[in-house]
Amino acid sequence: MKYSDLAIDFKSGKRSALARMITLVDNEERDGFEFLKDNYHKRKESFRLGITGPPGVGKSSLMNHLIERYAQIYAKVGVIAIDPSSPFTGGALLGDRLRMNKMYDHENVFVRSLASRGSLGGLSTSTENVAQVMESFGMDIILIETVGVGQSELDVMEITDAVVVVLVPESGDSIQAMKAGLMEIGDVFVVNKSDRDGSDRAVEFIKTSLSFKKAASEKTIPVVKTNALNDENIDSLVSILEETKSYLASSGKMKEKRESRKEKEVKEILRDLFIKSIDKHIKNMENTDASPYEKAKEILKKTGLNVTEELWTKR
Ligand SMILES: Nc1nc2c(ncn2[C@@H]2O[C@H](COP(=O)(O)OP(=O)(O)OP(=O)(O)O)[C@@H](O)[C@H]2O)c(=O)[nH]1
Ligand SMILES: [Mg+2]
């Protein structure tokens, strides 16, 4: 199919065109980049909601409920599931697919799994690009699930407007041992599997831990207890998420996040272009005995990039 035909189908709202366009972008194909460049200003700025947490806490199960609720509230719901590729979670993928399967056919919902870490700047860049395609399609909300175990998963959360950190009752005791990063990024915390012992204690524990790091002027971060097996308290989670969204919008925090996201993207683009443009110089260098700094200086001269003396001496 020609790109121009694909673009027409995309514009008219064909799901198959959305799927194809995401693939083009995810594979870093020329037409994919063309699309991103042409459509940045035409996007809808969808509300991007990240859902993260340690392996197996019930993120996908909760997602399923959220998708179901959002499909009733919104006309277009996008879902990006980051395929867990870490050894911790190998094998969970099939289960995730099955659990999300029942929502695959819903006409309001479009689900996409992402595994590639691309060459451009890792998982967060490919997720950002796919999110932008979904925004161009006019999604009202985009849900992004990722396992919060490594840095790249935390990076993915930087491309969302709000983050739900999912924990379980047992997490309460081991919160200090947990990845500290997780406690920093949550706008809402969920203690799922509330059918298990200790969920109230876990909620209190998390609230206390959060109160230490909160500035007096900031809004208290909600901690919600859910049971994704029995659909318990999901409605109150949804209303807390809607409130959080309004708060982030009215306080200016959402705008701030989006601006720093954009800044990061500019840096990623420049980093990628810069690396690509110096690669050929490095390979073609004649004076092989030169030190790394001497070589770097020579290459900088060739690229014409103006590095100040001050930056150079600080390096
Ligand atoms: N008892 C209980 N089990 C739950 C609850 N929610 C999910 N589970 C179960 O926990 C297991 C893991 O659920 P998932 O939804 O796959 O968890 P996840 O966080 O997406 O897992 P990964 O993506 O592998 O990290 C499944 O067997 C679920 O049925 C709950 O509220 N209570
Ligand atoms: Mg999952």
Side-chain angles (χ1 to χ4, degrees):
M1 185 185 219
K2 270 192 10 228
Y3 174 73
S4 53
D5 294 331
L6 178 64
I8 292 169
D9 282 356
F10 186 94
K11 228 174 157 183
S12 67
K14 282 202 183 133
R15 294 164 65 95
S16 57
L18 170 59
R20 180 87 193 101
M21 203 64 91
I22 289 177
T23 303
L24 287 180
V25 165
D26 194 32
N27 292 346
E28 296 171 8
E29 286 186 41
R30 206 191 169 96
D31 287 340
F33 289 120
E34 215 46 50
F35 178 86
L36 292 176
K37 286 176 195 159
D38 284 348
N39 287 276
Y40 190 85
H41 293 291
K42 298 175 209 154
R43 293 173 305 135
K44 176 169 192 155
E45 284 208 284
S46 321
F47 178 56
R48 299 186 190 175
L49 181 64
I51 295 166
T52 192
V57 291
K59 297 178 294 295
S60 301
S61 313
L62 279 170
M63 281 272 270
N64 250 326
H65 291 298
L66 293 178
I67 293 167
E68 232 157 2
R69 301 298 200 280
Y70 285 130
Q72 287 161 14
I73 309 176
Y74 297 118
K76 287 183 175 179
V77 180
V79 179
I80 303 175
I82 312 286
D83 284 356
S85 53
S86 84
F88 294 111
T89 53
L93 174 58
L94 184 63
D96 273 359
R97 284 248 167 80
L98 290 177
R99 274 190 286 282
M100 274 191 203
N101 247 350
K102 67 176 176 158
M103 297 310 299
Y104 265 67
D105 297 330
H106 199 292
E107 57 173 353
N108 292 3
V109 181
F110 185 91
V111 180
R112 178 67 174 225
S113 292
L114 267 191
S116 82
R117 304 204 160 203
S119 63
L120 289 176
L123 191 56
S124 63
T125 304
S126 37
T127 312
E128 169 66 39
N129 290 344
V130 170
Q132 284 187 19
V133 180
M134 287 195 173
E135 290 180 326
S136 300
F137 198 72
M139 297 303 179
D140 298 290
I141 185 166
I142 299 173
L143 302 166
I144 303 174
E145 178 194 343
T146 179
V147 180
V149 285
Q151 188 53 48
S152 76
E153 281 76 13
L154 294 179
D155 286 347
V156 170
M157 291 297 114
E158 275 186 22
I159 62 168
T160 59
D161 297 317
V163 173
V164 180
V165 172
V166 184
L167 300 168
V168 287
E170 296 77 16
S171 315
D173 300 325
S174 56
I175 241 168
Q176 279 94 342
M178 234 171 53
K179 300 268 172 220
L182 270 187
M183 295 307 284
E184 307 297 325
I185 61 170
D187 296 287
V188 171
F189 284 77
V190 169
V191 176
N192 188 43
K193 308 200 182 182
S194 64
D195 47 306
R196 292 194 190 162
D197 284 346
S199 59
D200 288 321
R201 200 161 50 98
V203 169
E204 286 318 309
F205 194 86
I206 294 165
K207 280 185 177 165
T208 312
S209 315
L210 291 171
S211 66
F212 287 126
K213 68 172 191 92
K214 184 177 81 83
S217 60
E218 274 179 52
K219 181 181 164 292
T220 305
I221 296 173
V223 184
V224 195
K225 219 169 65 167
T226 59
N227 175 344
L229 280 190
N230 297 340
D231 201 337
E232 268 169 46
N233 232 18
I234 307 291
D235 285 324
S236 67
L237 174 60
V238 171
S239 50
I240 284 169
L241 289 172
E242 289 293 295
E243 277 165 28
T244 302
K245 177 185 162 187
S246 309
Y247 163 75
L248 291 171
S250 62
S251 63
K253 283 188 190 297
M254 199 183 295
K255 192 162 171 257
E256 233 171 71
K257 275 193 180 183
R258 287 175 177 177
E259 271 163 14
S260 74
R261 191 193 295 166
K262 198 167 167 182
E263 209 172 276
K264 217 177 134 197
E265 213 189 327
V266 175
K267 280 189 193 162
E268 292 278 3
I269 294 169
L270 288 175
R271 195 173 289 135
D272 179 55
L273 290 175
F274 184 71
I275 294 297
K276 281 181 180 148
S277 54
I278 61 171
D279 267 352
K280 65 171 189 298
H281 290 304
I282 293 180
K283 290 200 181 78
N284 294 336
M285 285 203 82
E286 280 161 16
N287 182 1
T288 45
D289 289 337
S291 76
Y293 275 96
E294 287 162 344
K295 284 187 177 186
K297 218 164 196 173
E298 197 180 323
I299 288 168
L300 275 177
K301 221 185 273 168
K302 284 185 178 148
T303 61
L305 186 77
N306 189 13
V307 174
T308 61
E309 201 53 41
E310 194 201 346
L311 272 180
W312 185 255
T313 45
K314 276 192 183 152
R315 174 68 177 78

